[in-house]
Amino acid sequence: MRTIDWDIKKNCIVMIDQTLLPREYKVIECSTIDCLCEAIIKLRVRGAPALGAAGGFGVALAAHESKASTLDGMMKDIEATGQTIISTRPTAVNLSWGVKRVLNAVEDARNIKEARLFALDEAKAIADEDVEKNKELGEYGAMLLENGDTVMTHCNAGRLACVDWGTALGVIRSARAQGKDIKVISCETRPLNQGSRITTWELMQDKIPVTLITDSMSGHVMRMGMVDKVIVGADRITQDAVFNKIGTYTHSVVAKEHDIPFYVAAPVSTFDFERMEDEIEIELRKSEELKFFGSHQIAPLDVEVYNPAFDATPMENVSAIITENGVFYPPFLLEEVKIKI
Ligand code: MRU
């Protein structure tokens, strides 16, 4: 099934619980906003494009849940709920984009029934478009890969980070579908191990060769000539930087040092070109994520911890940005990208 979807019979959101992978593949249901927000905060659903769909379905769920007897009352309910959903994770721009897109779609509704219908239709459109855009993006990105390439990636920018197909891993899937022999090196992605738990699992499901390394090995493998290209996803792209999972910046610096192309694959919905890096809030997560490995304590309980979920890679470290509208190269002229957008 898709990473996240709407169950038409039960009128609820269904999603693959990513916290359980790779040990267990389980689909969970969210029929309340509290359940959805918990799922987002705990990363049961995660990855920028999947969060866009979660935001959209969240507003549809809020419209369904609302007990308001007037359209005005319902609009107030879903706007407030939209803000609650947005506040769960501040860095990935797709979450607020998905919420706002569905709120806008509901504005033309003439009654409550129509509002519920419009909200769900728009949320489903976000999900369907995500799959289409990833496939388009994949085709553009595949042109950058040569037969025999080994691609290093960080975190999970695959089908589980999206509704389906994936961005960074979508490029690899598209290249493989064209018959190119592409191998992947996946960084484990501490502290929550999206790389070792999810990227490796997802690639192995598709029989795509993947080798797991720790994040701290990336410099070594690049220096040893084991990496031809780096491809990562993005949570937000401002005029001057790419926000992605913590550790991405370090890989970009090493890639630059060794003349290895550093590509970012992301749909246009991830662009926030109106803003600059210093305007963006980086999500800080709980210290327990560093002090425990699962239930196993790995640091003194009272140690001071700094746990940012994302970092920013300056544009000068990015070789190209792959989108569904084409591949953009430095100097990433705002006007040019905007026109294409
Ligand atoms: O904290 P996460 O797991 O939501 O972080 C996800 C990432 O950083 C991904 O690389 C990014 O969202 C791109 S997903 C196509």
Side-chain angles (χ1 to χ4, degrees):
M1 75 166 255
R2 288 178 166 188
T3 302
I4 182 162
D5 212 338
W6 182 266
D7 186 318
I8 200 77
K9 287 197 189 111
K10 295 183 180 166
N11 272 322
C12 69
I13 300 170
V14 282
M15 64 178 79
I16 299 167
D17 185 343
Q18 298 186 39
T19 61
L20 302 176
L21 290 171
R23 278 173 293 110
E24 190 185 349
Y25 176 93
K26 188 176 171 191
V27 176
I28 55 168
E29 295 174 358
C30 277
S31 48
T32 64
I33 294 298
D34 283 352
C35 170
L36 175 66
C37 290
E38 190 266 0
I40 295 173
I41 291 166
K42 292 262 172 73
L43 309 199
R44 298 186 199 286
V45 60
R46 47 148 297 281
L51 289 175
F57 283 130
V59 177
L61 182 62
H64 187 77
E65 258 193 343
S66 170
K67 302 270 183 292
S69 53
T70 63
L71 181 60
D72 253 17
M74 173 194 256
M75 295 302 272
K76 285 201 179 86
D77 279 354
I78 62 175
E79 271 159 25
T81 305
Q83 285 313 314
T84 307
I85 297 170
I86 289 172
S87 68
T88 53
R89 296 199 76 190
T91 310
V93 71
N94 300 60
L95 181 61
S96 59
W97 169 86
V99 166
K100 286 175 193 160
R101 187 169 145 176
V102 176
L103 285 175
N104 284 342
V106 173
E107 266 173 18
D108 295 334
R110 288 163 301 181
N111 53 52
I112 289 180
K113 195 173 165 204
E114 224 172 56
R116 287 194 174 127
L117 201 71
F118 286 6
L120 187 54
D121 280 353
E122 193 68 10
K124 282 182 179 165
I126 291 177
D128 290 343
E129 284 169 25
D130 182 60
V131 186
E132 276 166 39
K133 283 172 201 259
N134 287 340
K135 293 210 168 153
E136 287 164 12
L137 177 161
E139 289 298 314
Y140 282 118
M143 291 191 254
L144 302 172
L145 297 186
E146 284 161 49
N147 191 31
D149 272 353
T150 296
V151 176
M152 193 182 91
T153 191
H154 189 67
C155 195
N156 172 264
R159 69 165 84 236
L160 285 155
C162 303
V163 176
D164 204 347
W165 200 249
T167 56
L169 299 192
V171 169
I172 290 158
R173 284 199 167 91
S174 297
R176 299 241 346 152
Q178 291 171 5
K180 291 178 187 165
D181 173 25
I182 309 293
K183 294 184 178 58
V184 180
I185 291 180
S186 168
C187 297
E188 68 170 346
T189 320
R190 281 284 288 146
L192 294 179
N193 291 73
Q194 290 90 333
S196 59
R197 291 187 303 104
I198 305 174
T199 294
T200 57
W201 181 83
E202 148 171 357
L203 291 173
M204 288 172 80
Q205 292 278 310
D206 281 5
K207 308 214 174 334
I208 299 175
V210 56
T211 302
L212 173 66
I213 60 168
T214 66
D215 302 338
S216 55
M217 292 171 192
S218 79
H220 173 72
V221 295
M222 285 198 255
R223 189 158 181 265
M224 289 292 112
M226 293 164 70
V227 176
D228 298 295
K229 276 132 200 173
V230 178
I231 310 183
V232 295
D235 289 88
R236 189 187 292 250
I237 302 175
T238 57
Q239 272 183 53
D240 54 345
V242 172
F243 288 79
N244 193 49
K245 179 53 56 191
I246 190 76
T248 302
Y249 167 65
T250 317
H251 301 321
S252 79
V253 173
V254 182
K256 196 175 181 185
E257 170 72 18
H258 295 286
D259 287 325
I260 296 169
F262 184 90
Y263 298 131
V264 174
V268 167
S269 53
T270 305
F271 281 73
D272 186 13
F273 256 24
E274 307 302 318
R275 285 195 247 194
M276 304 294 281
E277 176 188 340
D278 58 9
E279 295 173 72
I280 305 306
E281 178 186 349
I282 292 189
E283 176 186 354
L284 290 177
R285 294 189 59 89
K286 289 195 171 145
S287 62
E288 280 70 20
E289 291 179 355
L290 267 68
K291 292 194 273 194
F292 289 86
F293 198 80
S295 58
H296 186 70
Q297 187 187 332
I298 53 169
L301 290 180
D302 51 357
V303 71
E304 199 65 44
V305 166
Y306 174 54
N307 184 18
F310 303 100
D311 60 25
T313 295
M315 284 306 189
E316 56 262 31
N317 288 8
V318 178
S319 311
I321 304 179
I322 307 159
T323 77
E324 70 272 31
N325 286 350
V327 180
F328 296 97
Y329 292 94
F332 304 111
L333 292 174
L334 174 60
E335 289 317 310
E336 188 190 318
V337 178
K338 260 190 169 173
I339 288 165
K340 290 210 181 180
I341 288 170

